[in-house]
Amino acid sequence: MALEIPKVSYSGKIKEIVLGKGDKALTVGGETSYPFYLFEGQMPLKPRIAMEVYDSPPEDWAPTALEPFADVASDPVAWARKCIDTYGAEMIALQLVSTDPNGENRSAEEAAALTKKVAEAVDVPLIVWGCNNAEKDTEVLKKIAEDCAGRSLMIGPVTEANYKQVGAVAIGYEHTVIASTPIDINLAKQLNILLGNLGVPDGRILIDPTTGALGYGLEYGYSVMERIRMAALTQEDERLQFPMICNLGKEVWKTKEAKQSRDEAPKLGDPAKRGVLMEAITAQLVLAAGADILIMRHPESIALIQDMLNDLLAA
Amino acid sequence: MSKIICSAAIRGAHNIVDKAEQKYQEVLDKWGPDHPVGFPNTAYYLPIIYGILGVPVSKLGDVRPVLEKCRSLLPPLVSEKVWLPYLAPTLEAGMATFFAEEIIEAIRYLEYPDFYTKQEDPIGGNIWLGAADDIILRKRGVEFVDGTAPGFAAILGAPPTKEIAAEIAKELQEKNLYVFMCAENNGVRMSEQLVEAGVQIGWPTRLVSFGPDYTATVFAMGFATRAAMSFGGIKPGDFRGNLLYNKNRIFAFAMPLGPVSDEWYANAAGAINWGFPVIADTPIPEILPTGICTYEHVVSNVPHSEIVQRAVEVRGLKVTVSKIDIPVSYGPAFEGERIRKDDLYLECGGGKTKGVELTVSRDLDEVEDGHVEMIGPDLDQIKDGSKLPFAMLIEVAGRQMQEDFEPILERQIHHLVNYAEGIMHIGQRAIMWLRVGKAAVEKGFRLKHLGTIIHAKYHQEFGAICDKVQVKIYTEEAKVDEVLALARKVYEARDKRVDRMTDETEETFYSCTLCQSFAPSHVCIITPERTGMCGAYNWLDGKASYEINPTGPNQPIVKGECIDPVLGKWKGTDEFIFKASRQKFQTASAYSLVHDPMTACGCFECIATILPLCNGVMIVNRDYLGMTPCGMKFTTLAGMVGGGEVTPGFLGVSKHYIASRKFLLAEGGLKRVVWMPQMLKKELEAKLKSRGEELGIPNLFDIIADDTKGTTEEEILPFLEEAGHPALTMESIL
Amino acid sequence: MALSGIEIFKKLPKTNCGECGVPTCLAFAMKLATGQAELSACPYVSDEVRAEIDEASAPPIRTLTIGTGDRAVKLGGETVMFRHEKRFENPPGLALMLSDTMDDSVVNEKLSKFKDLEFERVGLILRPQMLALKEESGDAGKFAAFVKRVIDQIDAGIILMSDKPEVMAEALKICKDKKPLIYAATKDTAEAMGNLAKEAACPLAVKGSGLDEVMAITDKLMGMGLKDLVIDSQPVNVKKALEDQVGIRRSALVKKVKQLGFPTITFPGQLTDSKMKEALIASLLIAKYAGIIVLSEMEGHNVFPLLLDSLNIYTDPQRPMAVEEKVYEIGGPREDSPVLITSNFSLTYFIVSGEVESSRVPAWLLIKDTEGLSVLTAWAAGKFAADTVAMFVKKSGIADRVKHRKLVIPGYLAGMSGELEEELPDWQILVGPREAAHLPAYLKQWSA
Ligand code: SF4
Ligand code: SF4
């Protein structure tokens, strides 16, 4: 008697979302099963990885993370080009950390001008990520949305505090919103409802469930993502049937262990390999929980994940 | 709809369509059917025609079928004798009016290409801007979506003087509304009045001088129609979708200033289709009952000084207050400050003086929004270290306001006032206690500012239920006594009402799923007689929270058919639980501990469980740290029953629920309770005693054992036996 | 379906004699129902009842232990597919593969590194606990000697790997007291290996290609009376490995397939030549149900992240991890450095200490025991109340270590500042930012 593995019957499907425009546009979503459970459903579109580019020269980065970008670290446009030309990035994520009012506090105009330059220099889909200060992000993302009208950016984080303002420009200037909530399935759903009510079309919403780094609360986001997928696929929770995005690179690389040198942590092995593995493992886990888009830093961890994706999605 | 309005509107529509036809014939003869026609720089053709009919008009030949459509929409002129239901035909006449006017304006662009400036501002002497192009639409439309501009006032004609014009414009601007102006009143136009008064007009100041004639109304309506298409994803030709989008989202209204002509009536009728009411300064017939518009359709004869406020009310526009204008800092960081004796400038209430605060609801016309009145001495009129009697009377009005929400708003006073730096607030109702520090007074803080805070925060946080807020603060003994007397009456009535409310009298219960963040399948069903297990949410809170935040964690549940009145099961609640527990649980009893009890989250105030030997139930509260007769401490129990699981024999309960008539009805109610910690018993003493009376066991309170009687079943059983506790002779609890 | 506490209680003697270690039968029943006690602790249940309860409360996946003493590894006992549904019970054992054909020096070096791989985190010691000793020489004597050499050097959960029963028999003679896992019975050697396992009273791994073959073998072994089995389904690629793990767990849980109700053993190194990728495959297997993961290499840089992975995934979602209550020194604080206080929820601790560290402002971080609750929850539950916070601050001795008297409390708890000032009259209470991310900015402008 051959074993029949009991199958889950999936009644839902993740919406397909087009990222970017033109030849290099990508589509994510479309799943009809839990991540990589190809024996009982489909995952027709591969999860995608965006490479990080920072709007100001990195401070305090682990040498291994900085090394690949050392020559372009103070030029975001060159940085973005290098990601594409040298490392084959299929997407770019511009991290606007310098707009933080508690930091450099660069103006919305500067941020928009820079974003525009980067947007013009690359043809792959472009994610623009604010500084996580709802008020400032509103100002910055509004300006960017206007100045990059029609470029189909992914802009975020859009939160309950600023969804109206950012949602409105996203509608008006045709961008995709990254709906960001703090590790909570109900809040995620609520924000999606609110965005829908505002008029943001379903084809332009991504869920950011909030991602913690390996060893730093990863499990919370992991379980919320699993629950979101479960609700979307088996409980017909239509407002959760959106692809998920995880901005994980910066979380991983800011942890102590990703940065420590061999001298500081002799028991933790090769610092370069350790950092890469910490990032790649974080990525692998959120993929297993349902991520569709990853924002990552190190070319090697990205290569490792691409390799795993190919294996897991092999025909 | 009033017959006068209908006949006038239909007459006006006929005139306008006639005019359009005549104009059309002229240009057609001149340029032929292939000549391009339209508004500049837009992908929406003639937007109303495109949005409503789905017809893209790009050359003169395309106009013909539209005019035919106008004709077919036009109802016959109303005769003196026949009385028909006029609403529908009049609205259709209004629609035809807009199509015809768009054609007239499009022809104007053809004949006089430079008639309008075609940009955001006036150029030189030409103040007429004409249709907004797509760039303006996008930029400005975003403001309509995100709420920075909630809507617009479409003004036809002009008020009597340029001063009034400037005043009205300013008031509308203050409400963040766009002012779209067109048409003349006896040769006077509001746009021109504003220029004369030195007011800057143009899109950037939101005072938009669309055009000199009434036909320019279509620029306003076209703007709204395009907004629905570009921001609402409404397809061209989906007229229903378009009109509904505008009704629900664009807070616009028409404001005819001056005598209303037939043509104006026709335009007004058109606007009503979009859900935009008409507020007039002349005595035209009113159409008050609601239908197409959210509230009234036509309100007339409104004095100029009140017209903006009235318009805002009729359209249901929410006031937004972005800044709290007080001289001290304001924010959660100051919530817990204490004002010490040495820093004290003024003290009110707290047993030292009389003190009371009260929030009541009133009718819309009884409240003047933003009105803050100080009756009696304020801080600058008293000495350092004073004490004063204090009363704060907050009057709230709103279309969605209900008396039931009064206590909820009132409870907010505490933390809202505490957020102010240098102010300390404790308690509520007639036991409130207020301290103002010296530093705050030095910075210029006055008691009056309490009103400013309440006004702003009520709007900000409870905008869904508060349309208008006014605050009166009294520090005169006699006045305070008056408010106190009123408050006592209100409190009594409130308490009675809550008391009278039962699970049978209400058809709707509320859910709470706030705790799902850590207990994934947990659902609290909150009924009038059963509060959420944390004790923080009662039925009224659930109701208000839903009104304020309709997509939040508190959702209404229509209880539906009762499946079992003793267990407390209803069809509606079971369906809800199935969905909200994400299909983990099919059913739950509201009143049982043994049969399908509710899930427990982890933040319950108390846990109830069975004591088999005593055939009863024990309850332990979170604060009691000792051992209990079930052999487990609170923390052990909490560890076993939380996490959104159902654990028969164990139930999370709020303190309030213990004294409810529905408490564990299925197990026999309060009579089953054989043990509680003494501290919990004391806390609930009054309520438990009166429940005992009700149950016909006046000594019930005394025969419930507590930790002074014992903390094992064996220890308390003799006590219960001696006292003759009813549980011992009840049916077996297992 | 497992029995509820009440149902179990009904079957107990109801005498509240307390011999089981808890005061009442009800409390004991609850412990049984939540898997925190063994039925054998009550001496008064009849055999009949015992069988009934055992049957109903036995987890669908067998719980078994490999090794003895300190490094014993408990596996199995899983009851859910997703950790949020309850929790994952026993984290996978990470094993280092060593072969009897390796040079002694290599083995020694690997072993000494292995011993070194020990990390403290949230009061727990994280370390790999197992060694997989593989026979590749074909020589029973050599293998036995190798096993002996290893177990003399180190105390770890041992996996003996050989396809040859006669080789295995020799090795078992040396270490059966250590309760090693015997790897593995194949369809050809099931009987012989089964007998060895039975005699030695050791757990036995089953190796079959694909689940059907595995089931045939486990079925046979169960027939022989063996209970402690471990499954290796020999997947050919990563995709299949995932499918097998899900298939095994789901069959056991949902369909109650007894032949698959065992923990699994996996070899990510068989699926790739790259050590980095091996670690990545292992990371996925940790999340997706593997019982033992055998690695071909163990270095700090791959083991540490994998241990974190396992710690994260196996954290009980309903019982937050807590760190120790004490004063933490960050960046070498001095007597004029800021003093901050927060809860002992591990995530709070990690995030706050991380931000303080990245601010490069040395600081004293007071961590108060809140039973692992986050700041707001702890406050709501009375575990971060002014009086208890004050007590902790006093007994922490921080007053002797700093000159100033300024205490920064979490922004969300601004509400308690007044009360706390009353409890700690010598101290000035400062309200810190609400979000940890704003700590660096806050600390940079802080002055004593
Ligand atoms: S316990 Fe309170 S907060 Fe939690 S779900 Fe119930 S009512 Fe809501
Ligand atoms: S030992 Fe048995 S009889 Fe005694 S209390 Fe425990 S469960 Fe009850």
Side-chain angles (χ1 to χ4, degrees), chain C residues 12-26 28-29 41-45:
Chain C
L12 292 177
K14 306 190 192 65
T15 55
N16 295 351
C17 74
E19 281 177 48
C20 52
V22 288
T24 64
C25 297
L26 180 65
F28 183 63
C42 170
Y44 302 107
V45 282

Side-chain angles (χ1 to χ4, degrees), chain B residues 511-516 518 522-526 531-537 553-554 601-604:
Chain B
S511 66
C512 185
T513 49
L514 209 61
C515 287
Q516 283 197 353
F518 60 92
H522 177 68
V523 187
C524 268
I525 302 288
I526 303 174
T531 54
M533 46 189 71
C534 60
Y537 283 82
N554 302 104
C601 49
C603 61
F604 28 68

Side-chain angles (χ1 to χ4, degrees), chain A residues 1-8 10 34-40 60 102 213-220 222-223 226-227 230 254 256-257 267-270 273-274 276-278 280-281 284-285 288 300 304-305 307-308 311-315, chain C residues 82-85 116-119 121 211-212 215 238-239 242-243 246-247 250-251 254-255 257 260 274 276-277 279-281 283-284 287-289 300-302 304-306 308-309 312-313 315 320-321 345 347 350-351 355 357-358 360 438 441:
Chain A
M1 158 210 79
L3 171 78
E4 273 264 356
I5 296 175
K7 299 260 157 72
V8 169
Y10 298 103
Y34 292 144
F36 312 107
Y37 285 21
L38 300 184
F39 47 89
E40 61 185 12
D60 206 19
N102 292 313
L214 181 68
Y216 288 82
L218 170 73
E219 69 271 32
Y220 297 89
Y222 179 87
S223 279
E226 285 196 326
R227 286 171 64 192
M230 201 176 217
K254 83 173 177 207
K256 183 165 79 189
E257 292 84 353
K267 285 206 309 193
L268 293 181
D270 180 340
K273 288 183 179 163
R274 185 203 321 137
V276 164
L277 272 181
M278 286 186 70
I281 290 178
Q284 182 60 59
L285 289 173
E300 276 176 49
L304 277 169
I305 290 296
D307 191 5
M308 281 298 281
D311 279 11
L312 284 164
L313 293 171
Chain C
F82 295 94
R83 60 187 290 280
H84 71 257
E85 293 173 325
D116 243 14
L117 294 172
E118 199 171 282
F119 313 95
R121 205 169 173 88
L211 301 189
D212 287 324
M215 283 171 67
V238 180
K239 186 177 161 192
L242 175 67
E243 178 179 340
V246 174
R250 215 189 258 162
S251 302
V254 181
K255 261 189 155 179
V257 176
L260 293 177
S274 147
M276 296 292 269
K277 191 169 170 195
L280 221 49
I281 299 170
S283 79
L284 178 62
K288 290 291 174 182
Y289 318 138
H301 58 252
N302 69 344
F304 177 71
L306 289 175
L308 288 184
D309 178 354
N312 282 171
I313 297 292
T315 293
M321 299 286 279
F345 177 33
L347 189 56
F350 281 128
I351 292 174
E355 293 294 348
E357 219 158 283
S358 74
R360 305 208 169 253
H438 299 150

Side-chain angles (χ1 to χ4, degrees), chain A residues 142 164-165 168-169 171-173 184-186 190 193-194 197-198 227 231 235 237, chain B residues 138-139 142 145-146 148 230-231 245 249 513 516-517 520 549 551-553 582-583:
Chain A
K142 271 179 83 165
K164 272 195 184 163
Q165 294 89 326
V169 287
I171 304 171
Y173 299 99
D184 186 306
I185 183 174
N186 289 324
Q190 188 184 358
I193 294 175
L194 292 171
N197 290 350
L198 190 73
R227 286 171 64 192
Q235 297 152 3
D237 209 329
Chain B
R138 266 226 269 216
K139 188 156 155 205
V142 165
V145 180
D146 73 16
T148 35
S230 84
F231 291 94
Y245 180 92
R249 294 176 187 248
T513 49
Q516 283 197 353
S517 56
N549 180 5
T551 54
R582 305 201 171 276
Q583 309 183 1

